Amino acid sequence: MPLQNKKVNAAITAVGMYAPDKILDNKYFESIVETNNEWIISRTGIKERRMMENGATSDMAAFAVQDLMKNSRLKPEEIDVIIVATVTPDMFFPACACLVQDKIGAKNAWGFDLSAACSGFLFALETGSKLIESGAYKKVIVVGSDKMTAITDYTDRNNCILFGDLASAVLLEPTEDLNYGIKDSLLYVDGTGKDNLYMKGGGSLRPASHETVDNKWHYIYQDGKVVFKVAVKGMADVSYDIMKKNNLTSDDVAYLVPHQANMRIIDATAERMGITKEKVMINIDRYGNTTAATIPSCITEYYRNGKLKKGDNLILAAFGAGYTWGAIYLTWSID
Ligand code: COA
């Protein structure tokens, strides 16, 4: 397809999400590991999370896109590209994007999965926005979907309380009005963090075997203390840097949309940006850490609750395994 000459921004023009019905509250964790409601709330901010009982990541992603389509004029055959950010694909291959394409009937789309853990939605949003800005594509679906309960060890009290299942999707379309849409990004990876947050087994390095199963290498491993420190610094610094780069003061920012891993990391990021609590999107209390789904689900819920208005400046920020981290600056374009 020819590249167009006219500059466009990519703007989010529709949103959707899917939350499974089953709720795992803190009381449930009191019954399976040595923990308590007060500890979990004070150390993480989480009260409950969701669990997908019948279905996988692609099902949740497809439900989220169907919800988006139900609430917009988008027809499945109009979709050009589907990008699924996930670290819990249904299987290594085919990609979740192919499974979602089939489930929603997007017969003219191509697509792929993107693996950047908790920064997955930001990396996918940046990728999708560049596909739009190139002029080659007009309708790009970006989905964050993770079934974290599939890779959580429910005997490990350090980690099992943190994660939940969720999916959320956005539609990117071009806008010629450059006052709106995605305006800037700062994204990073640093592979030296690989041993502090990872799933050790099942890949080509340590293929599934009795040893990998016996050692629980198919579950998330996290050194929470180490990751906590770098996550606070990474997310706070990059959020501050993108504001500075774009000459934004805290008054110019309507909302910080942070990855929801831990309330204390979110608070530290907001403090560094000089942003008050009311301007921070939060849903960690109801869903826990849902990896690639945290940021789009916050945006979806705040938009649907009437808390987002056209012209609002948002700073999206995330930190995750890899390490991966970054921030995106956008101006909301839906009335
Ligand atoms: N219930 C009760 N006590 C628990 C517990 C639980 N569920 N999990 C851990 N503890 C204990 C620890 O064993 C430790 O006890 P000890 O001092 O006797 O060893 C104590 O609580 C404090 O542990 P600590 O690691 O200092 O807690 P913390 O304040 O760092 O909180 C996390 C733990 C996991 C919540 C926190 O480190 C965290 O959020 N880490 C980063 C998560 C993240 O951002 N990931 C990246 C993006 S995905």
Side-chain angles (χ1 to χ4, degrees), residues 33-36 39-40 43-44 118 157-159 161-163 197 222 224-225 227-228 231 259 261-262 264-265 289 319-321:
V33 289
E34 186 65 40
T35 190
N36 61 77
W39 190 96
I40 299 173
R43 304 313 286 162
T44 70
C118 296
R157 73 170 180 171
N158 293 289
N159 284 306
I161 53 142
L162 298 173
F163 297 99
L197 177 51
Q222 172 171 228
K225 258 193 189 125
V227 175
F228 184 84
H259 170 54
N262 186 308
R264 291 179 293 144
I265 300 175
N289 184 347
F319 188 94

Side-chain angles (χ1 to χ4, degrees), residues 28-77:
Y28 168 73
F29 287 90
E30 288 180 357
S31 74
I32 60 165
V33 289
E34 186 65 40
T35 190
N36 61 77
N37 183 41
E38 293 69 34
W39 190 96
I40 299 173
I41 292 179
S42 66
R43 304 313 286 162
T44 70
I46 302 167
K47 293 178 183 158
E48 57 188 43
R49 333 94 191 107
R50 300 298 177 101
M51 180 183 233
M52 183 70 171
E53 286 185 296
N54 301 307
T57 293
S58 72
D59 296 304
M60 296 198 299
F63 291 149
V65 181
Q66 279 160 349
D67 179 54
L68 179 152
M69 291 192 291
K70 206 175 78 198
N71 289 283
S72 68
R73 265 180 253 130
L74 181 71
K75 295 188 186 73
E77 57 273 18

Side-chain angles (χ1 to χ4, degrees), residues 96-109:
C96 263
C98 305
L99 308 176
V100 172
Q101 178 276 334
D102 181 41
K103 284 172 183 169
I104 64 172
K107 61 180 186 205
N108 297 311

Side-chain angles (χ1 to χ4, degrees), residues 183-243:
K183 293 181 169 169
D184 199 13
S185 65
L186 287 174
L187 303 173
Y188 302 98
V189 299
D190 175 4
T192 62
K194 68 184 190 311
D195 295 332
N196 298 323
L197 177 51
Y198 68 137
M199 197 169 90
K200 197 168 181 174
S204 57
L205 180 63
R206 299 182 193 89
S209 65
H210 286 292
E211 186 194 13
T212 62
V213 172
D214 290 347
N215 286 304
K216 300 187 169 187
W217 289 347
H218 298 275
Y219 292 132
I220 304 161
Y221 167 83
Q222 172 171 228
D223 186 334
K225 258 193 189 125
V226 172
V227 175
F228 184 84
K229 276 192 205 132
V230 279
V232 165
K233 183 162 168 33
M235 231 166 89
D237 282 356
V238 78
S239 305
Y240 177 80
D241 290 349
I242 202 162
M243 279 174 69

Side-chain angles (χ1 to χ4, degrees), residues 289-301:
N289 184 347
T290 59
T291 305
T294 59
I295 290 176
S297 64
C298 277
I299 293 174
T300 301
E301 291 191 330

